[in-house]
Structures are given as structure tokens and as C-alpha cells.
Amino acid sequence: MLLPSLVTAAIVNIVEKHGNALAKTANNMNMMNEVLRRICRRNFCTCSPRPWLFVGLGNPGDKYSGTRHNVGFEMVDAFAESQGIHMETVHCKAMFGKGFVNGIPLLLAKPLTYMNLSGESTGPLAAYYKLPLNRVVVFHDDMDLPCGVLRLHPKGGHHRHNGLKSVIYHFRGNREFPRLRIGIGRPPGQMDPKAFKLQKFNSTARERINAALGEGAHALEQVISKGFSESSICFNTTQKYKHIRLQTLPTSHHASS
């Protein structure tokens, strides 16, 4: 990874000032690595290549944990765990973590604003790190996809999803940012969609979502390494056939407690 000139100058200064001492022992070399790591963390805004920002949409609090509307949060957690990234700080109204994936900087966020105000966190995060919107991927639940089916899309509308609507608003109406759609299926019968989204999954649906989280984490690693367009074509093809296999199987009846 190439470092910006500001970071490079800081490193040169450190080496010139402390080079002899740092060269004495392996322990001091470890100290040098720690200094460099901290410098890179402070300069995520100017890293090259630019960071990716992954934002999962959901509602904070135990009340909403495990519900259909919170699968965006779950995807962030699954990816963070797969990469050893800790989500321990609050930044721009979001639970936040950052690290590197295959040498490429990554930012992870779960807005704490509640779903309908997700943009109040996502917009400022993208602005703070000076990111073009094609480096921001939003994860969200989608009733138009069968439970456990995923799709990567480069852009689109909000399709009556209030979280996406808020994000688009805080991106000044710009809809050209990538999304990872996470299928939760449709409510049975005449059930209110709002109530359906705030229910927890039944055991069968939970198994499919857990499997989907693993698939999504792998796909997101490919997005970081290979770029969004190339990764999404291959991934969506595999999910298309998964869609055909799953579309006739029921998953929405009787949420488990």
C-alpha cells in the first residue's frame, strides 16, 4: 500500500531521529511497527488506495437484536469477526471499527441513530473520510428477495426502505452507491410488513441467514480485493441459482422467540 506524502515524511522523521535506537533489538523494531501502524490509522483520510466504508443498517439495543430488520448489523459483525476487526468505538453516531483487508484500508460502521435516521451517521462518515460514494457499501434487509438470498448492486433507489431513504437524503439525493441486499422474504398472508421486519427469524430462516452471512463476508472480501464490478457479477450469478432453489421453501411462518 502506498502511503501519502504526509505519512511518508512522518516516517522519515521518526527513522532519522530514532533509527539507531530502533535498530538495536527486535523489541524496538516491534515498537517501530506500532508507530507506523498508528500513523496509518490517523491518516485513513489520505491513504492510497482510498478506504472502503461498509455500513450495516439496523436498530441498536437488545430489543432489536436478531430481528429481520437488523441483518445489516449482523453482516457487519460477521465481516468484522472474519477479519479480526474490533467494533469498540463510537464515531459519527455509529459503532465503528477500522483495519486492513489484504493491505487495503477498511472502515466498518453500525449507525446508532435507529433505522429511519441512518443517514445522519452514514453521510458524515463518508464526508469525514473524504470518500467517493462508490467506496461506500450499505448492507440492508430486503423483502423482495427470498430469505437468505443476497445481491450486490452498484446503485439504486430506496424501494420504500426508510434506512436507505435516509442515507440517500444525506448523500444529497445521490443514489449511486453500492449495496448488499440481504433477503428476508415477505410476510405471510396479510401480516403488517413493519411487524414482520421487527420479528425474529424462525429456526429454518435463522439457518439460512447464518449461511448467508458467511457467503456475504467472503463476497465482501472479494469486493475489497478485486473491486465491486468484477466481484458482483460472479457473486450474483451464484445467488441467482440459490434463489431458484430457495424460492418455493417457506421461512416466514411463526417467528421463534
Side-chain angles (χ1 to χ4, degrees), residues 107-251:
L107 312 166
L108 292 172
K110 298 189 296 181
L112 300 175
T113 55
Y114 290 91
M115 179 67 81
N116 293 357
L117 300 176
S118 297
E120 291 186 2
S121 170
T122 308
L125 274 170
Y128 181 86
Y129 289 100
K130 301 178 175 63
L131 296 176
L133 296 190
N134 64 3
R135 302 291 286 189
V136 181
V137 185
V138 177
F139 313 158
H140 65 91
D141 58 293
D142 195 318
M143 290 195 301
D144 291 333
L145 289 175
C147 182
V149 172
L150 308 176
R151 287 287 191 279
L152 286 167
H153 283 283
K155 60 183 178 180
H158 56 74
H159 300 290
R160 300 179 303 279
H161 190 290
N162 288 331
L164 279 178
K165 186 184 296 184
S166 176
V167 170
I168 291 170
Y169 176 80
H170 285 273
F171 283 165
R172 300 182 180 180
N174 194 326
R175 303 181 177 197
E176 297 191 0
F177 57 91
R179 303 100 189 278
L180 174 60
R181 300 166 56 201
I182 307 167
I184 60 171
R186 287 203 165 274
Q190 300 299 313
M191 184 178 183
D192 181 3
K194 292 181 180 179
F196 175 75
K197 288 187 289 187
L198 294 178
Q199 278 188 342
K200 295 189 177 183
F201 294 99
N202 64 24
S203 58
T204 301
R206 182 74 258 175
E207 290 177 5
R208 292 185 190 173
I209 290 297
N210 288 344
L213 295 176
E215 294 170 358
H218 177 72
L220 291 166
E221 185 174 359
Q222 295 300 303
V223 166
I224 294 172
S225 300
K226 298 181 179 180
F228 192 87
S229 296
E230 180 180 346
S231 302
S232 62
I233 292 171
C234 179
F235 180 69
N236 289 342
T237 299
T238 62
Q239 292 292 306
K240 177 180 179 181
Y241 293 110
K242 180 181 178 182
H243 180 177
I244 294 171
R245 293 195 304 271
L246 297 182
Q247 63 184 346
T248 60
L249 301 177
T251 60

Side-chain angles (χ1 to χ4, degrees), residues 2 4 27 31 41 45 60 79 86 101 119 146 176 182 199 208 228 231:
L2 297 177
N27 182 58
M31 183 172 65
R41 282 184 174 181
C45 294
F79 191 70
H86 299 290
V101 177
E176 297 191 0
I182 307 167
Q199 278 188 342
R208 292 185 190 173
F228 192 87
S231 302

